[in-house]
Amino acid sequence: MTSNDINIAVLGASGYTGAELVRILALHPHARIKALTADRRAGEEMSAVFPHLGGVALPRLERIEDVDFSDIDFVFCGLPHGTTHEIVAGLPEKTKIVDLSPDFRLMDVAVYEEWYTDHKAPELQKSAVYGLCELQREGIAAARLVANPGCYPTSSILPLAPLLEAGLVNADQIVIDSKSGVSGAGRAAQEANLFGEVAEGIHAYGVGAHRHMPEIEQELSGAAGKQITVSFTPHLMPMSRGILSSIYVNLNDGQTAADLKKTLEDRYREEKFVRVLPEKALPATRHVRGSNYCLMNVFEDRLPGRAIILSAIDNLVKGASGQAVQNMNLMAGIDEDTAISQQPLFP
Amino acid sequence: MTSNDINIAVLGASGYTGAELVRILALHPHARIKALTADRRAGEEMSAVFPHLGGVALPRLERIEDVDFSDIDFVFCGLPHGTTHEIVAGLPEKTKIVDLSPDFRLMDVAVYEEWYTDHKAPELQKSAVYGLCELQREGIAAARLVANPGCYPTSSILPLAPLLEAGLVNADQIVIDSKSGVSGAGRAAQEANLFGEVAEGIHAYGVGAHRHMPEIEQELSGAAGKQITVSFTPHLMPMSRGILSSIYVNLNDGQTAADLKKTLEDRYREEKFVRVLPEKALPATRHVRGSNYCLMNVFEDRLPGRAIILSAIDNLVKGASGQAVQNMNLMAGIDEDTAISQQPLFP
Amino acid sequence: MTSNDINIAVLGASGYTGAELVRILALHPHARIKALTADRRAGEEMSAVFPHLGGVALPRLERIEDVDFSDIDFVFCGLPHGTTHEIVAGLPEKTKIVDLSPDFRLMDVAVYEEWYTDHKAPELQKSAVYGLCELQREGIAAARLVANPGCYPTSSILPLAPLLEAGLVNADQIVIDSKSGVSGAGRAAQEANLFGEVAEGIHAYGVGAHRHMPEIEQELSGAAGKQITVSFTPHLMPMSRGILSSIYVNLNDGQTAADLKKTLEDRYREEKFVRVLPEKALPATRHVRGSNYCLMNVFEDRLPGRAIILSAIDNLVKGASGQAVQNMNLMAGIDEDTAISQQPLFP
Amino acid sequence: MTSNDINIAVLGASGYTGAELVRILALHPHARIKALTADRRAGEEMSAVFPHLGGVALPRLERIEDVDFSDIDFVFCGLPHGTTHEIVAGLPEKTKIVDLSPDFRLMDVAVYEEWYTDHKAPELQKSAVYGLCELQREGIAAARLVANPGCYPTSSILPLAPLLEAGLVNADQIVIDSKSGVSGAGRAAQEANLFGEVAEGIHAYGVGAHRHMPEIEQELSGAAGKQITVSFTPHLMPMSRGILSSIYVNLNDGQTAADLKKTLEDRYREEKFVRVLPEKALPATRHVRGSNYCLMNVFEDRLPGRAIILSAIDNLVKGASGQAVQNMNLMAGIDEDTAISQQPLFP
């Protein structure tokens, strides 16, 4: 172990985001995976749960209570919501955490409790940083606890926050229509996510009530400088990975789609993982699959005074495990793109 | 041949809508397919072009100029836009026509020419009826030439027209986000529609410029009683059939989502093919696949004063060939649901 | 109710085969669905379990013990294996049964018990007829209890039985490589059948041990006139419906692939649902989807003295519910193709 | 440029294998892509042809005749068959070549000409090495011209060659049933590969006549020590990447499936990219997607004296571009796994 090594525990490793962390970290020159937990699969090899990882040398799955955290530098927490507060509260002070659950994303504990359940670590919440790397780089670098953003919020906030900050669009009439692959629903065995139920179909869900709304609103309110509400409708469609968000906005007086595009280009010019596409190029989920990129573009609407913003990410990478590693890199003070510069897999 | 028999020619039978007409008409007790045309495949058996139809006895494919129209009662025209005007103009007066192309859908010839090409039968245009059966039943029954609606327009107009007629929603701020299966793009060999290019992906296309816009606007303007413009964005996704339209509207003062739902329920209560779903039930394309149904529902938005309307159709059935047969049934004075009451194929 | 009406109960209606029976019977002029059972969903509307059937008027789901069988003419039994024996044994004598489970398919009770579980109605077994319509038409017409064939057996036996009867192929070296869509695994919520686990993949399963083997062997042994064993390997692939069986055989002395093809053509020339394709035409599952057809063809192998036989069915239609209705039609003495002459849905 | 740098030209970069080479080489610490050719797209950016590669700095596409080969160390040739001979013959002597086309795979020029077209560089053929890395490591390391194996042959030869060398299976009765994703057919716009034609279907093709047969037979004959013929049937199925080969063999006297498995385990124990799975574990294409692995396993057949061998690869990686880079690494004397140790992308 060199002084650069980062000893890592992945809690909740039997889900898709856990597997994706392992896939990514397998290419990370400094990461040493020391512990993988999965309560119901404790004692098994990771390759029994995820055969595609059979080529990576990994510790056996164990229960969280059996992990020796004394030499763990970083914890990735991919546990179900409501279970993370107490576990994070019990970690050694020196351990840094990237939490992929929603448990620390909502800075207002009351809002969390309205949408989820009791918050069991409200003190800790105050120190949590919302880990959207391109927008919170300094805060993340200094944080001990980073709340990794949700997938839909990542795809929505990256294009919208700079536009709201600049006052270019009407903050009160934002409509976000998102289309997601099935992996966002996790690996739990549910009839609704069977191949036969998903293939050759599309439908909206959680209409007017999806839990990613308060998270989107929190970050966009911060950007807008006032409390706002958005219209957000997710759809489930037959692909394993990817989110496309089609965002419909009213322009503020005098603004044009071209102004929006230029603002985003200026904001993200130096960013490796956010790419504002050339004129007329259409963000597509197949062009980000397996990568940490967010592609976006702006189009004039046919309705006067309106614009259409499109953004695409891989929900398991930039929308989850890739951004989590990007956060770790920032927190560890190493190159931000370490292990996440793999190009998309197409076709 | 009994007096009830309808002798039919399908022009442009080598496309998906042509094949779908044959599939449907195979169950029609009165339909007799007398001619199938496909210029480039003339001389071949239909089963060579569409092996799934090998179980149906059919005439060979021929060229249009080789068809003897003298005993043809009905013509289904599935030709590329711009080619239909002259062909229809040359048909015998007694022959009735359902045209699946856009060539007769835009009642204002100038609008047609702006979006497509020269209109070569403007006189005939005046007699054409827009064939959205549930909204134009009487006109269709009396017509000789029916312009079969486009797929996106069908999914948009059916839910929106009654709401605009009743003045429930703001006609100037309608946003339609549609997701379509690939068959809508036809069977032409194009790189963009290869399996490897479509699978595991979604992207918008024709943003701000899709040719179905003027058609939607024509019909919605009629319903609203004033000229309106809509925001319409189609998306291509990995399924063979189906369109889901997610429609975002501002409610007029005092209206609620429940009011919208009740208006649609009242409007479509007696309709066999339009079903307003029970509260909270989500229209899904997999629930209409292969059928002539349009499913719809209305939801309260989280943004105050707004509602979300969802509608689902099979683009090749209610969005094309099924509605075409429904139109023929109306024009022939036989039961409207003849041959199109097949239930959806799921999974 | 006319004298032609057939009163029907579908037991186990909450599975895919139950839904498919309803879809098919909705077009049947004589079928009256009087009872639908599903223990765990008793009390619910069928449309709550299968929203795609919302357009069909149906009785509510109930428990089997609540069904009044006194006026039921036909029972379709789609229950899990091991549960059917006692239920069928308890039905009124006048009721005819088509059992879609494997519970009555194996004529040798000992073989059943080796592969499944205790047989609880061995007396009844003796009267059961294996319901492969094209091969057992007379027996089926006279039967009270028909064991509807499994999906893999249907796709294998239809092409192989005539060839073994005619002594054209080596009965001891038959290799069957079958590829199935996911609906064959039913609707139970299992991780292995999630969209994310199935999409973009293929794998074999049950290698050397699949329960359809003894059923295939029973029927092929009958055709061969001696006890035989086959090599059968099923594969799971990303489609909802369909089975393609690729069958590799050694030709007996002097035989050619053309001889095999001619034998099949002669055997099935008058059959509506079995089609031996023209030379070189390739059976494809997409050409039978939603239909009761079995397509087959024979090809010369590059290995001397061998041939390749390909057959395609829709596992839920000819491989389950379509054949079940075909059996019912035979047993009721009505046209064999009633309600199952729908053409395939493509694309 | 350090002395370790490898200057690379990719000829035929507008196909899937070209794009995949770029994806892989983007992570290669020594690779410098100096030229990309695509005759019909010359002058365009690679990101216009493959938007998913927009994050990689690349030279513009150009015509082959415009490439300055003077400082090119390695050429990857991904051109259509029949066009490679002359181009390779014209390259500078110092340039090493990995040819992904079939043009140099068949060592017997007469066999090549029987299956393909005239061979225009028979002299060069003598120096070509068949680049199946695990079986020809030394030859490849010393070669100037490596013929990169076809995808089906890779999946077939890796498991079969060691078994034939050891004399464990009957060399004259091998049946290979392969299932492939669509990317194997390339990116050319063909009706047969449209999404609507491929989705929800499977069919065999090239039955008894596929061009990969002579290649398989050449290598297996070498292993068997005698000229052999195999039965090989490819199938096209709805996935973008992946090949699963199900191989049916007769065991030689006294051999068991366990013997075969042990032989493969012994042969590949030290190989990073070939993994013989644990007992009963099933090779699946989704477990290799995007990676250079070949997974394999052996199973007892129900037919006495027979075994079933399953193998899975990603056709674009181990079956094409990944193995091509593996070959380059060997030829350049650097670590064989450089840039190809990315783990599979799942789901």
Side-chain angles (χ1 to χ4, degrees):
Chain A
M1 193 173 90
T2 77
S3 57
N4 273 334
D5 277 358
I6 304 171
N7 287 339
I8 290 171
V10 177
L11 312 187
S14 63
Y16 288 144
T17 54
E20 191 69 354
L21 280 167
V22 171
R23 177 181 78 86
I24 293 168
L25 293 173
L27 284 187
H28 199 297
H30 304 308
R32 302 286 171 268
I33 297 179
K34 293 290 186 179
L36 294 168
T37 81
D39 278 16
R40 275 175 296 188
R41 311 293 298 259
E44 291 186 59
E45 294 289 352
M46 187 68 169
S47 62
V49 180
F50 286 112
H52 72 291
L53 296 174
V56 189
L58 291 169
R60 262 175 203 277
L61 291 164
E62 58 189 316
R63 289 178 305 170
I64 293 178
E65 52 264 45
D66 295 335
V67 177
D68 173 7
F69 285 101
S70 64
D71 73 336
I72 298 295
D73 302 307
F74 259 91
V75 167
F76 289 101
C77 219
L79 300 166
H81 72 81
T83 68
T84 313
H85 302 127
E86 290 172 309
I87 283 162
V88 168
L91 292 174
E93 194 56 37
K94 73 175 184 70
T95 309
K96 295 187 175 182
I97 304 108
V98 178
D99 179 24
L100 287 88
S101 91
D103 276 0
F104 289 102
R105 288 183 201 152
L106 298 175
M107 299 305 150
D108 183 336
V109 168
V111 174
Y112 176 85
E113 297 193 332
E114 177 192 342
W115 287 82
Y116 292 94
T117 180
D118 286 354
H119 198 301
K120 303 184 195 80
E123 284 308 305
L124 211 46
Q125 182 66 59
K126 292 173 191 159
S127 70
V129 173
Y130 189 78
L132 200 40
C133 306
E134 286 76 11
L135 302 181
Q136 305 279 356
R137 190 165 277 126
E138 292 72 26
I140 293 163
R144 177 186 168 238
L145 169 58
V146 165
N148 208 57
C151 49
Y152 289 122
T154 296
S155 77
S156 304
I157 299 165
L158 280 172
L160 281 170
L163 304 180
L164 289 167
E165 275 174 18
L168 305 184
V169 302
N170 181 336
D172 298 312
Q173 290 285 336
I174 295 170
V175 171
I176 305 169
D177 182 297
S178 294
K179 299 88 176 166
S180 175
V182 186
S183 62
R187 207 187 196 190
Q190 295 185 307
E191 182 186 288
N193 297 328
L194 293 175
F195 184 90
E197 307 287 320
V198 172
E200 288 288 310
I202 181 167
H203 62 278
Y205 68 100
V207 182
H210 193 280
R211 277 167 165 167
H212 279 177
M213 277 193 209
E215 188 182 333
I216 296 172
E217 290 172 1
Q218 165 183 288
E219 296 302 306
L220 295 187
S221 295
K226 67 169 184 172
Q227 190 61 36
I228 67 169
T229 303
V230 299
S231 170
F232 166 66
T233 306
H235 298 73
L236 182 73
M237 54 168 285
M239 64 182 175
S240 290
R241 292 167 176 249
I243 286 179
L244 182 78
S245 287
S246 307
I247 305 172
Y248 302 92
V249 296
N250 284 304
L251 299 168
N252 280 340
D253 279 356
Q255 304 301 332
T256 66
D259 295 330
L260 272 54
K261 184 167 165 65
K262 182 165 188 317
T263 297
L264 292 174
E265 285 170 343
D266 291 347
R267 179 65 184 80
Y268 291 122
R269 183 161 294 121
E270 302 302 318
E271 293 294 343
K272 174 164 186 175
F273 296 118
V274 178
R275 299 218 313 272
V276 184
L277 295 184
E279 186 150 356
K280 297 198 176 171
L282 291 158
T285 59
R286 70 186 187 281
H287 294 154
V288 297
R289 188 167 51 216
S291 80
N292 200 50
Y293 292 112
C294 175
L295 306 183
M296 58 179 69
N297 212 347
V298 184
F299 295 82
E300 215 175 323
D301 197 348
R302 184 160 151 81
L303 265 190
R306 299 184 62 94
I308 300 167
I309 305 159
L310 301 168
S311 77
I313 61 168
D314 181 322
N315 59 305
L316 289 182
V317 189
K318 186 60 179 172
S321 304
Q323 185 149 255
V325 173
Q326 190 179 358
N327 275 315
M328 181 192 79
N329 290 341
L330 281 170
M331 295 161 82
I334 57 181
D335 285 350
E336 190 174 331
D337 65 352
T338 308
I340 45 175
S341 53
Q342 295 177 55
Q343 296 304 311
L345 192 74
F346 171 81
Chain B
M1 193 172 91
T2 78
S3 57
N4 274 331
D5 277 357
I6 304 170
N7 288 339
I8 290 171
V10 178
L11 312 187
S14 63
Y16 288 144
T17 53
E20 191 70 354
L21 280 167
V22 171
R23 177 182 78 86
I24 292 168
L25 294 173
L27 285 187
H28 199 297
H30 305 306
R32 300 290 171 264
I33 297 180
K34 293 290 186 181
L36 295 169
T37 81
D39 279 14
R40 273 174 298 186
R41 311 294 296 260
E44 292 187 58
E45 294 289 351
M46 187 69 168
S47 63
V49 180
F50 286 111
H52 72 292
L53 296 174
V56 189
L58 291 168
R60 264 177 201 276
L61 291 164
E62 58 190 316
R63 289 179 304 167
I64 293 178
E65 53 264 44
D66 296 335
V67 177
D68 173 8
F69 285 101
S70 64
D71 73 337
I72 298 295
D73 302 307
F74 259 91
V75 167
F76 290 102
C77 220
L79 300 167
H81 72 81
T83 67
T84 312
H85 301 128
E86 290 173 306
I87 284 162
V88 168
L91 292 175
E93 193 57 37
K94 72 172 186 69
T95 308
K96 295 188 176 183
I97 303 110
V98 177
D99 179 24
L100 289 87
S101 90
D103 275 359
F104 289 101
R105 290 184 199 150
L106 297 176
M107 300 305 149
D108 184 336
V109 168
V111 174
Y112 176 86
E113 297 193 333
E114 176 192 344
W115 287 83
Y116 292 95
T117 181
D118 285 353
H119 198 302
K120 305 182 195 79
E123 284 310 304
L124 210 47
Q125 182 66 58
K126 291 173 191 158
S127 70
V129 173
Y130 189 78
L132 201 41
C133 307
E134 286 76 11
L135 303 181
Q136 305 279 357
R137 190 165 278 124
E138 291 72 24
I140 294 164
R144 175 183 171 244
L145 168 59
V146 165
N148 209 54
C151 49
Y152 289 121
T154 297
S155 77
S156 303
I157 298 165
L158 280 173
L160 281 170
L163 305 179
L164 288 167
E165 276 174 17
L168 304 184
V169 303
N170 181 335
D172 298 313
Q173 290 285 334
I174 295 171
V175 171
I176 304 170
D177 182 296
S178 293
K179 300 88 176 165
S180 175
V182 186
S183 61
R187 207 187 196 192
Q190 295 185 308
E191 182 186 289
N193 297 328
L194 293 175
F195 184 90
E197 308 287 318
V198 172
E200 289 285 309
I202 182 168
H203 63 276
Y205 68 98
V207 182
H210 193 280
R211 279 168 163 167
H212 280 177
M213 277 193 208
E215 186 181 334
I216 296 173
E217 290 171 1
Q218 164 183 290
E219 296 302 306
L220 295 187
S221 294
K226 66 168 186 173
Q227 189 61 35
I228 68 169
T229 304
V230 298
S231 170
F232 166 66
T233 307
H235 298 73
L236 181 73
M237 54 167 287
M239 63 182 176
S240 291
R241 291 167 176 251
I243 286 179
L244 182 77
S245 288
S246 307
I247 304 172
Y248 302 92
V249 295
N250 284 304
L251 300 167
N252 280 339
D253 278 355
Q255 304 301 330
T256 66
D259 294 330
L260 271 56
K261 183 169 165 64
K262 184 166 185 317
T263 297
L264 292 174
E265 286 169 342
D266 290 347
R267 179 67 184 76
Y268 291 122
R269 184 161 293 122
E270 302 303 318
E271 294 293 344
K272 174 164 185 174
F273 295 119
V274 179
R275 300 219 312 272
V276 183
L277 295 184
E279 185 149 356
K280 297 199 176 166
L282 292 157
T285 59
R286 72 186 186 281
H287 294 152
V288 296
R289 188 168 48 217
S291 81
N292 200 49
Y293 292 113
C294 174
L295 305 183
M296 58 178 68
N297 212 345
V298 185
F299 295 81
E300 213 175 323
D301 197 347
R302 185 164 154 78
L303 266 189
R306 297 184 65 94
I308 301 166
I309 305 160
L310 301 168
S311 77
I313 60 167
D314 182 320
N315 59 305
L316 289 182
V317 189
K318 185 61 178 169
S321 305
Q323 186 151 255
V325 173
Q326 190 179 358
N327 276 316
M328 181 192 79
N329 290 341
L330 281 169
M331 295 161 82
I334 57 181
D335 284 349
E336 188 173 331
D337 65 351
T338 307
I340 46 175
S341 54
Q342 296 178 55
Q343 296 304 311
L345 192 74
F346 170 82
Chain C
M1 194 174 89
T2 77
S3 58
N4 274 331
D5 277 358
I6 304 170
N7 288 339
I8 290 171
V10 177
L11 312 187
S14 63
Y16 288 143
T17 52
E20 191 69 354
L21 281 167
V22 171
R23 176 180 80 84
I24 293 167
L25 294 173
L27 285 186
H28 200 296
H30 306 306
R32 300 289 172 265
I33 297 179
K34 293 291 185 180
L36 295 168
T37 81
D39 279 16
R40 273 174 297 188
R41 312 295 296 261
E44 293 187 59
E45 295 288 355
M46 188 69 169
S47 63
V49 179
F50 286 112
H52 72 293
L53 296 174
V56 188
L58 291 168
R60 263 178 202 276
L61 291 164
E62 59 189 314
R63 289 180 305 171
I64 293 177
E65 53 263 45
D66 295 336
V67 177
D68 174 7
F69 285 100
S70 63
D71 72 337
I72 298 293
D73 303 307
F74 259 90
V75 167
F76 290 101
C77 220
L79 300 167
H81 72 83
T83 68
T84 312
H85 301 128
E86 290 172 307
I87 284 161
V88 167
L91 292 175
E93 195 56 37
K94 71 174 185 70
T95 309
K96 295 187 177 182
I97 304 110
V98 177
D99 179 24
L100 289 87
S101 90
D103 275 0
F104 289 101
R105 288 182 201 152
L106 298 176
M107 299 305 150
D108 183 337
V109 168
V111 174
Y112 177 85
E113 298 195 330
E114 177 191 342
W115 287 83
Y116 293 96
T117 179
D118 285 354
H119 198 302
K120 305 186 194 77
E123 284 308 305
L124 211 46
Q125 182 66 59
K126 292 173 192 157
S127 69
V129 173
Y130 189 78
L132 201 41
C133 308
E134 285 76 11
L135 302 182
Q136 306 278 355
R137 190 165 277 124
E138 293 71 26
I140 293 163
R144 176 185 169 240
L145 169 58
V146 166
N148 208 57
C151 48
Y152 289 122
T154 297
S155 76
S156 304
I157 299 165
L158 280 172
L160 281 171
L163 304 179
L164 288 167
E165 277 174 17
L168 305 183
V169 303
N170 181 336
D172 299 313
Q173 291 285 337
I174 296 170
V175 171
I176 305 169
D177 182 296
S178 293
K179 300 87 175 165
S180 174
V182 187
S183 61
R187 208 187 196 191
Q190 293 185 308
E191 183 186 288
N193 297 328
L194 293 175
F195 184 90
E197 307 287 318
V198 173
E200 290 286 310
I202 181 168
H203 63 276
Y205 69 100
V207 182
H210 193 280
R211 280 167 162 167
H212 280 176
M213 276 192 210
E215 186 180 336
I216 296 172
E217 290 171 0
Q218 163 183 290
E219 297 301 307
L220 295 188
S221 294
K226 66 169 186 172
Q227 190 61 35
I228 68 170
T229 304
V230 299
S231 170
F232 166 65
T233 306
H235 298 74
L236 182 73
M237 53 165 287
M239 64 183 175
S240 290
R241 292 168 175 249
I243 286 179
L244 181 77
S245 288
S246 307
I247 304 172
Y248 302 92
V249 296
N250 284 306
L251 300 167
N252 280 340
D253 278 356
Q255 305 300 331
T256 66
D259 295 329
L260 272 54
K261 183 168 165 66
K262 181 164 189 318
T263 297
L264 292 175
E265 285 170 343
D266 291 346
R267 179 66 184 79
Y268 292 122
R269 183 160 293 120
E270 302 303 317
E271 294 293 343
K272 174 164 186 174
F273 296 119
V274 178
R275 299 219 312 270
V276 183
L277 296 184
E279 185 149 355
K280 297 198 177 169
L282 292 158
T285 59
R286 70 187 189 281
H287 295 152
V288 296
R289 188 166 50 213
S291 81
N292 200 50
Y293 292 113
C294 175
L295 306 183
M296 59 179 68
N297 213 345
V298 185
F299 296 82
E300 213 175 325
D301 197 348
R302 185 162 153 76
L303 266 189
R306 299 184 62 94
I308 301 167
I309 305 159
L310 302 168
S311 77
I313 60 167
D314 182 322
N315 59 305
L316 290 181
V317 189
K318 185 62 179 171
S321 304
Q323 185 150 256
V325 173
Q326 190 179 359
N327 275 315
M328 182 192 78
N329 290 340
L330 281 170
M331 296 161 81
I334 56 182
D335 284 350
E336 189 174 331
D337 66 350
T338 308
I340 45 176
S341 54
Q342 296 178 53
Q343 296 304 310
L345 192 75
F346 170 82
Chain D
M1 194 174 90
T2 77
S3 57
N4 275 332
D5 277 357
I6 304 170
N7 288 341
I8 290 171
V10 178
L11 311 187
S14 63
Y16 288 144
T17 53
E20 191 69 354
L21 280 167
V22 171
R23 178 182 77 86
I24 293 169
L25 294 173
L27 285 186
H28 199 296
H30 304 306
R32 301 287 171 269
I33 297 179
K34 293 291 184 180
L36 294 169
T37 81
D39 279 15
R40 272 174 299 187
R41 311 294 297 261
E44 292 188 59
E45 294 289 352
M46 187 70 169
S47 62
V49 180
F50 286 112
H52 72 291
L53 296 173
V56 189
L58 291 169
R60 263 178 203 276
L61 291 165
E62 57 190 316
R63 289 178 304 169
I64 292 177
E65 54 262 46
D66 295 335
V67 177
D68 173 7
F69 284 102
S70 64
D71 74 336
I72 298 294
D73 303 306
F74 259 90
V75 167
F76 290 102
C77 220
L79 300 168
H81 72 81
T83 67
T84 312
H85 301 129
E86 290 172 307
I87 283 162
V88 167
L91 292 175
E93 194 55 39
K94 72 175 185 68
T95 308
K96 296 187 175 181
I97 304 109
V98 178
D99 179 24
L100 288 87
S101 89
D103 275 0
F104 289 103
R105 289 183 199 150
L106 297 176
M107 298 307 149
D108 184 335
V109 168
V111 174
Y112 176 86
E113 297 194 332
E114 176 192 345
W115 288 83
Y116 293 95
T117 180
D118 285 353
H119 198 302
K120 306 185 195 77
E123 285 307 304
L124 212 45
Q125 182 66 59
K126 293 173 191 158
S127 70
V129 173
Y130 189 77
L132 200 41
C133 307
E134 285 77 10
L135 301 181
Q136 306 278 358
R137 191 165 277 126
E138 292 69 26
I140 294 163
R144 177 185 168 238
L145 168 59
V146 165
N148 208 57
C151 48
Y152 289 122
T154 297
S155 78
S156 304
I157 298 165
L158 280 173
L160 281 170
L163 304 179
L164 288 167
E165 276 174 17
L168 304 184
V169 303
N170 182 335
D172 299 312
Q173 290 284 336
I174 296 171
V175 172
I176 304 169
D177 182 298
S178 293
K179 299 89 175 166
S180 175
V182 186
S183 61
R187 207 187 196 191
Q190 295 185 307
E191 183 186 286
N193 297 328
L194 293 175
F195 184 89
E197 307 288 317
V198 173
E200 290 286 311
I202 181 167
H203 63 276
Y205 68 99
V207 182
H210 193 280
R211 280 170 164 166
H212 280 176
M213 276 191 212
E215 187 181 334
I216 297 173
E217 290 171 359
Q218 165 183 288
E219 296 301 306
L220 295 188
S221 294
K226 66 168 185 172
Q227 190 61 33
I228 67 170
T229 304
V230 299
S231 170
F232 165 67
T233 307
H235 298 73
L236 181 73
M237 52 167 287
M239 64 182 176
S240 291
R241 291 168 176 248
I243 287 178
L244 182 77
S245 288
S246 307
I247 304 171
Y248 302 92
V249 295
N250 284 305
L251 299 167
N252 280 339
D253 278 356
Q255 305 301 331
T256 66
D259 294 330
L260 272 54
K261 183 168 166 63
K262 181 162 187 318
T263 297
L264 292 174
E265 285 169 343
D266 290 347
R267 179 68 184 79
Y268 292 122
R269 184 162 291 120
E270 302 302 318
E271 293 294 342
K272 175 164 185 175
F273 296 119
V274 178
R275 299 216 315 271
V276 183
L277 295 184
E279 185 150 357
K280 297 197 176 173
L282 291 158
T285 59
R286 70 188 189 280
H287 294 153
V288 297
R289 187 167 50 216
S291 80
N292 200 50
Y293 292 111
C294 175
L295 306 184
M296 60 177 69
N297 213 346
V298 184
F299 295 81
E300 214 175 321
D301 197 348
R302 186 163 152 76
L303 266 189
R306 298 184 62 95
I308 301 167
I309 306 160
L310 302 168
S311 78
I313 61 167
D314 182 321
N315 59 304
L316 289 182
V317 189
K318 186 61 179 170
S321 304
Q323 186 150 255
V325 173
Q326 190 179 358
N327 275 317
M328 180 191 80
N329 290 340
L330 280 170
M331 295 161 83
I334 57 181
D335 285 349
E336 189 174 332
D337 65 351
T338 306
I340 46 178
S341 55
Q342 296 178 55
Q343 297 304 310
L345 192 74
F346 170 82

